[in-house]
């Protein structure tokens, strides 16, 4: 049986809770439909921020993974990183496709739960 110390759970929670939504920023590039109407410097800045945020997200996941492995949880580290990646991907789907935001967790949780289950059932 694997047990995590309170410190490991705290670090894991903070790393997931404050993890950058780096792939989400990359999807903002898709919304540029008419680049001529937008100033090129804005596009360049968005691309730079998207790439740096993506790298920061990858480094954050690598850091969380290495911290879990240091505490002798290699199998759990793989499962946790895989779970966080899948949940994050589903969160991006809810945000981009269904247009939910984080504040829906507080303001309209029933609606968020209903749409989440509706989207999971094919």
């Amino acid at each position: 049986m694997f047990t995590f110390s309170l410190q490991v759970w705290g670090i894991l929670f903070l790393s997931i809770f404050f993890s950058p939504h780096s792939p989400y920023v990359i999807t903002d590039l898709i919304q540029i439909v008419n680049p001529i109407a937008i100033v090129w410097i804005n596009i360049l800045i968005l691309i730079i921020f998207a790439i740096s945020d993506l790298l920061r997200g990858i480094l954050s996941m690598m850091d969380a993974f290495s911290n879990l492995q240091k505490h002798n949880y290699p199998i759990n580290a793989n499962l946790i990183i895989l779970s966080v990646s899948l949940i994050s991907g589903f969160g991006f789907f809810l945000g981009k496709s269904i247009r939910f935001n984080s504040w829906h967790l507080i303001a309209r949780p029933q609606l968020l739960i209903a749409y989440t289950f509706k989207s999971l059932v094919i």
Side-chain angles (χ1 to χ4, degrees):
M1 181 76 171
F2 295 103
T3 58
F4 288 121
S5 69
L6 187 59
Q7 180 184 11
V8 172
W9 278 112
I11 291 171
L12 181 64
F13 175 76
L14 288 175
S15 130
I16 292 169
F17 189 74
F18 291 110
S19 68
H21 294 99
S22 49
Y24 198 81
V25 175
I26 294 289
T27 62
D28 287 339
L29 295 173
I30 296 170
Q31 295 178 355
I32 300 175
V33 291
N34 188 3
I36 296 172
I38 299 173
V39 180
W40 281 101
I41 191 72
N42 290 340
I43 294 172
L44 182 64
I45 289 171
L46 182 61
I47 290 171
I48 290 170
F49 281 139
I51 291 171
S52 66
D53 209 22
L54 181 63
L55 290 174
R56 190 169 48 122
I58 291 170
L59 290 174
S60 174
M61 291 290 271
M62 289 172 58
D63 192 34
F65 182 75
S66 67
N67 282 332
L68 286 169
Q69 281 192 322
K70 282 181 190 175
H71 289 88
N72 299 323
Y73 305 116
I75 294 173
N76 287 348
N78 290 328
L79 292 174
I80 288 171
I81 295 298
L82 177 66
S83 300
V84 167
S85 298
L86 291 174
I87 291 169
S88 295
F90 187 68
F92 300 143
F93 163 73
L94 289 175
K96 283 292 183 181
S97 298
I98 304 177
R99 306 303 294 165
F100 279 118
N101 293 317
S102 302
W103 59 268
H104 281 100
L105 284 170
I106 297 169
R108 302 173 78 186
Q110 295 86 3
L111 180 66
L112 179 64
I113 291 170
Y115 272 99
T116 300
F117 283 121
K118 191 178 191 180
S119 65
L120 287 174
V121 177
I122 296 175

